[in-house]
Amino acid sequence: MVPHLITALTGPINELEQRVLDSMPAIERWFRLEWMEHTPPFYSSVDIRNAGFKLAPVDTNLYPGGWNNLTPEMLPLAVQAAMAAIEKICPEAKNLLVIPENNARNTFYLSNVAQLQRIFQAAGLNVRVGSIDPAIKKPTKVELPTGETVTVEPVVRSKRRLGLKNFDPCTILLNNDLSLGAPGILEDLHEQYLLPPLHAGWSVRRKSRHFQSYEEVAKRLGKLLGIDPWLINPMFNKCGEVDFSQEQGLDCLRTNVDALLAKIRKKYKEYGINEKPFVIVKADNGTYGMGIMTVRDTKDLDQLSERTKAKMGASKDGRQVHDLIIQEGVLTAERINEAVAEPVVYMMDRYVVGGFYRVHAERGDDENLNIPGASYVPLAFAESTRLPQPGQKPGASAPNRFYMYGVIGRLAMLAASYELEATDPEAEVYE
Amino acid sequence: MVPHLITALTGPINELEQRVLDSMPAIERWFRLEWMEHTPPFYSSVDIRNAGFKLAPVDTNLYPGGWNNLTPEMLPLAVQAAMAAIEKICPEAKNLLVIPENNARNTFYLSNVAQLQRIFQAAGLNVRVGSIDPAIKKPTKVELPTGETVTVEPVVRSKRRLGLKNFDPCTILLNNDLSLGAPGILEDLHEQYLLPPLHAGWSVRRKSRHFQSYEEVAKRLGKLLGIDPWLINPMFNKCGEVDFSQEQGLDCLRTNVDALLAKIRKKYKEYGINEKPFVIVKADNGTYGMGIMTVRDTKDLDQLSERTKAKMGASKDGRQVHDLIIQEGVLTAERINEAVAEPVVYMMDRYVVGGFYRVHAERGDDENLNIPGASYVPLAFAESTRLPQPGQKPGASAPNRFYMYGVIGRLAMLAASYELEATDPEAEVYE
């Protein structure tokens, strides 16, 4: 089930979308059976690109920020899903500690933290926010633009537990993607639930591993839908040992970019698509849209400016980037007031709880939109009169065009669950 | 978690409500732990009476009708909860057969069936409606006042399965309370899931058994809240072998009414409540508000009109009523436009998904409202600005006054789950 949100799509429903809509009962059943075998990530958000002829995830975030971009109407769904997640993982939970990003003075980011606090409070938990940033030495109350406040407190670590002064949580919710690696303060907390687990952090995750899992599940869903999995799967290659500052490893990059562009060209020809292929080059373990570039031709790589090289070489926390993923670029056909837009789908446990458009007026339809200047347009729920009416002729009521985004979002979430199983350091190995 | 719906309550929050609101994390945790041990009914609705000083369920329906009274805004919650319920019970489900009440020509009732169809379709199932009424011999399309249509088809029974022509469901959802007893056509369906199970029907259920289970869970919740369980529990007695037409068994009724009125009087005195005690006499296995009367004094029983006797003696399907429950009457302090109102809470699986007020302009605050002439006023979701704001001073934002109804509704649902365990003919007995 995916909430019926109004998308920006106004054109006719194409073949791919129609196939997805027609297969809803089969798709939902397939997901239900998958969740019997696999544990969904605690929460996630997925950036999706819809080229019309092709629909694919381009990024899957297991520490989603931006919850504040969900509308108040979506909150009850998030609360109900949070309740289901807590019930399954830690029903005895009473106190929940949210660990935000370090240096969390950004009120936009803190609005996200306040929203998470609101969701889990409404689900019936005592929720407090504790920073693992050593710079936070005392409780710090921050006023947000909405007038609400968030209090960020310093965490207190004992031998076996992490908490706050006078607050001993049984569950810890990370909203910090651990780009710098899992800090010692979060290790050996065997008495408390740590959600998501440490190996979901970017120090362990690799985009290439995620998209490898995604390819696997996309093939299976493609078979179910009777479609070429390429229509929902972005192809990719990867390169290790690239150093932009020393211009090392660029040959590997050129070769792979060239090979992938050729593969896309072939697919475009097969489908009669009259667009220019492009690839996205980004850090294999990066995050937050740093170091991402669009490459339409290998020649682009010969003319990199010093600025681009510096940007590509460093990720959010100033680490050097060496491993790159070269991903098939997927155009986005969606526009909000003529600005290029891409849908972002939010999930809690197995449930799609909402979404919004990321919009950037100054970017093209083949560029990353997750950079400063982006704005967020929440999606509204369809009005009652537009809900599908049982017993009416097909087409008599508006279809849920958000549904396909919910399917692709959950497919990426399923891939993440395969990925986390494969990288779980405590996994039992059956041979 | 309970959705934040705007109730009709405008007065100050009294001690009982404040206690419930303050205990939210403990209450939610308690429910989570209960659901680890007990299986909630598939779906349920609970009629609640709020006297201000006391808050109690008066009827728990395990085949709830009236889903059409939920607002479109509540539907996503119902769909998500339906998805959770299906996932837990029958994840492999693809086709769902809804079995409505017999003689379902009432378009108001069929609007409820259409709403259930819509909810389970949105949860990703193929849903069709099949009647077990022998009078339905061919697919019958009924147009509803909203313009939508429902098609009721005759069921087809094979040796081991129940379905429709060209429709083989793996799951059957009963929306028929089986007052006349479980018909043979529903027996021995061991290959299909039948929800709720047959022993949830009124041919097996007894109100007195339900309220006995309710008393048990109310005592435990009362202990958790540190309150007298009477504040959330309606006392009751029962009488068997009453025959109004022959005036048999009326002595038993008088004695029990008198005893219960005395107990209520004592409680009112203890709490300084200046109201006239009353009891409600109704069929122990009745349904649908037939045969329900308010008794304020045993003298009332000496002056029963022939009409009342006839009404009390027959239930919905014309059966004779012999077993009666005498239940403590709970005043309702809620009013909508000066008409007496009582909240009805709807649940799917463990989740409160919505509610509305049942309103009757011509009835008093000590009378049953579930009779012809009642109307239904849906509750609206609180606006974003009224949601509790984390970090703000208590009282700075409006509390969720629907929360207490969600707690009592779920407590009655928990009682029903104890009740169904106790009456399960296939239960394994551990000694």
Side-chain angles (χ1 to χ4, degrees), chain B residues 27-89:
Chain B
I27 294 171
E28 294 302 316
R29 180 170 186 267
W30 184 76
F31 276 122
R32 282 198 300 271
L33 296 175
E34 284 293 321
W35 299 134
M36 289 180 76
E37 308 280 331
H38 305 282
T39 304
F42 188 78
Y43 57 178
S44 52
S45 71
V46 177
D47 297 351
I48 290 173
R49 305 276 288 201
N50 179 12
F53 59 88
K54 172 164 189 159
L55 182 66
V58 294
D59 201 14
T60 302
N61 196 338
L62 301 183
Y63 301 90
W67 285 93
N68 50 313
N69 293 319
L70 299 189
T71 61
E73 289 74 25
M74 296 172 191
L75 279 201
L77 278 180
V79 173
Q80 191 173 286
M83 196 179 165
I86 291 290
E87 228 163 44
K88 209 173 44 180
I89 300 169

Side-chain angles (χ1 to χ4, degrees), chain A residues 195-245:
Chain A
L195 304 169
L198 291 180
H199 67 283
W202 277 118
S203 55
V204 175
R205 276 190 87 196
R206 293 292 174 273
K207 288 195 171 75
S208 54
R209 184 146 40 198
H210 176 70
F211 282 100
Q212 194 184 323
S213 295
Y214 182 81
E215 188 173 72
E216 190 184 320
V217 291
K219 273 185 188 159
R220 293 178 40 222
L221 185 67
K223 200 170 167 188
L224 182 82
L225 296 178
I227 59 167
D228 177 354
W230 175 72
L231 297 175
I232 53 173
N233 180 37
M235 299 185 291
F236 70 96
N237 284 332
K238 59 177 180 163
C239 275
E241 302 301 319
V242 177
D243 184 336
F244 281 96
S245 61

Side-chain angles (χ1 to χ4, degrees), chain B residues 362-403:
Chain B
E362 287 153 34
R363 301 287 277 189
D365 60 1
D366 61 355
E367 289 180 297
N368 169 43
L369 305 184
N370 195 2
I371 55 158
S375 60
Y376 301 89
V377 178
L379 303 179
F381 274 98
E383 286 162 41
S384 60
T385 50
R386 300 193 54 186
L387 276 172
Q389 308 279 321
Q392 285 201 352
K393 283 189 204 81
S397 56
N400 181 359
R401 303 195 73 168
F402 187 69
Y403 181 69

Side-chain angles (χ1 to χ4, degrees), chain A residues 1 24-25 29 32 36 72 77 79-81 83-84 87 91-93 121 124 126 148-149 350-351 384 389-391, chain B residues 1 24-25 29 32 36 72 77 79-81 84 87 91-93 118 121 124 126 148-149 350-351 384 389-391:
Chain A
M1 161 269 176
M24 180 173 130
R29 180 171 184 266
R32 282 199 299 273
M36 289 180 76
L77 278 180
V79 173
Q80 189 173 287
M83 198 177 163
E87 229 164 43
E92 71 286 12
Q121 274 173 345
N126 297 312
E148 37 177 358
T149 59
R350 293 147 293 175
Y351 306 102
S384 60
Q389 308 280 321
Chain B
M1 160 269 177
M24 180 173 132
R29 180 170 186 267
R32 282 198 300 271
M36 289 180 76
L77 278 180
V79 173
Q80 191 173 286
E87 228 163 44
E92 71 287 11
R118 182 184 290 122
Q121 273 173 346
N126 298 311
E148 36 177 0
T149 59
R350 293 147 294 174
Y351 305 102
S384 60
Q389 308 279 321

Side-chain angles (χ1 to χ4, degrees), chain B residues 69-359:
Chain B
N69 293 319
L70 299 189
T71 61
E73 289 74 25
M74 296 172 191
L75 279 201
L77 278 180
V79 173
Q80 191 173 286
M83 196 179 165
I86 291 290
E87 228 163 44
K88 209 173 44 180
I89 300 169
C90 44
E92 71 287 11
K94 206 161 150 184
N95 293 343
L96 178 79
L97 177 66
V98 176
I99 298 190
E101 294 275 336
N102 286 359
N103 304 313
R105 309 244 173 211
N106 175 326
T107 56
F108 183 78
Y109 174 71
L110 284 175
S111 299
N112 159 66
V113 174
Q115 182 87 308
L116 281 173
Q117 193 171 13
R118 182 184 290 122
I119 290 170
F120 288 95
Q121 273 173 346
L125 296 168
N126 298 311
V127 187
R128 283 165 71 177
V129 181
S131 178
I132 54 172
D133 183 351
I136 301 282
K137 295 198 194 308
K138 59 179 202 312
T140 310
K141 199 169 175 176
V142 182
E143 185 160 338
L144 303 176
T146 54
E148 36 177 0
T149 59
V150 189
T151 302
V152 181
E153 302 176 61
V155 293
V156 177
R157 171 72 202 236
S158 67
K159 188 162 166 47
R160 305 175 64 85
R161 302 179 74 90
L162 187 71
L164 303 177
K165 198 177 164 190
N166 301 323
F167 187 73
D168 183 27
C170 46
T171 306
I172 300 166
L173 180 64
L174 284 173
N175 196 248
N176 179 318
D177 68 12
L178 310 176
S179 295
L180 282 174
I185 200 168
L186 294 179
E187 284 173 357
D188 300 315
L189 296 171
H190 305 299
E191 290 179 358
Q192 292 167 302
Y193 292 97
L194 190 59
L195 305 169
L198 291 180
H199 66 284
W202 277 119
S203 56
V204 176
R205 277 190 87 195
R206 293 292 174 273
K207 288 194 169 75
S208 53
R209 184 145 42 198
H210 176 69
F211 283 100
Q212 194 183 323
S213 295
Y214 183 80
E215 187 174 73
E216 190 185 319
V217 292
K219 274 185 187 159
R220 292 179 40 223
L221 184 66
K223 199 170 168 188
L224 183 82
L225 297 178
I227 59 167
D228 178 354
W230 176 73
L231 296 174
I232 52 173
N233 180 38
M235 299 184 291
F236 71 96
N237 284 332
K238 59 177 179 164
C239 274
E241 303 301 319
V242 179
D243 184 336
F244 282 96
S245 59
Q246 306 292 320
E247 305 218 347
Q248 278 172 2
L250 292 185
D251 279 347
C252 168
L253 187 58
R254 276 189 203 96
T255 313
N256 276 293
V257 165
D258 221 28
L260 190 56
L261 283 172
K263 277 171 84 177
I264 304 169
R265 209 169 288 121
K266 200 174 150 218
K267 275 292 183 186
Y268 277 18
K269 203 172 164 191
E270 180 185 337
Y271 284 93
I273 295 159
N274 200 14
E275 300 283 356
K276 191 173 170 54
F278 66 103
V279 300
I280 300 288
V281 177
K282 49 191 174 183
D284 201 15
N285 63 344
T287 175
Y288 264 44
M290 299 277 295
I292 296 190
M293 71 180 165
T294 299
V295 182
R296 299 171 190 86
D297 197 297
T298 41
K299 274 183 242 149
D300 298 353
L301 294 172
D302 302 330
Q303 302 153 357
L304 294 179
S305 66
E306 288 307 312
R307 188 162 164 267
T308 304
K309 284 185 199 166
K311 268 178 82 176
M312 287 304 297
S315 81
K316 186 175 66 160
D317 293 295
R319 286 166 307 120
Q320 284 291 310
V321 171
H322 292 296
D323 295 310
L324 296 175
I325 178 171
I326 302 117
Q327 191 176 45
E328 174 186 354
V330 182
L331 290 166
T332 179
E334 298 215 45
R335 298 289 181 278
I336 303 243
N337 297 332
E338 291 171 26
V340 173
E342 65 187 13
V344 187
V345 176
Y346 275 69
M347 289 159 292
M348 180 82 75
D349 195 79
R350 293 147 294 174
Y351 305 102
V352 174
V353 298
F356 51 78
Y357 279 106
R358 183 183 290 121
V359 183

Side-chain angles (χ1 to χ4, degrees), chain A residues 2 11 22 24 35 48 59 68 86 96 115 132 144 230 232 257 274 281 365 370 372 374 385 419 427:
Chain A
V2 169
D22 291 344
M24 180 173 130
W35 299 132
I48 289 173
D59 202 13
N68 50 313
I86 291 290
L96 178 79
Q115 182 87 309
I132 55 172
L144 303 177
W230 175 72
I232 53 173
V257 165
N274 200 13
V281 177
D365 60 0
N370 194 2
T385 50
E419 180 197 345

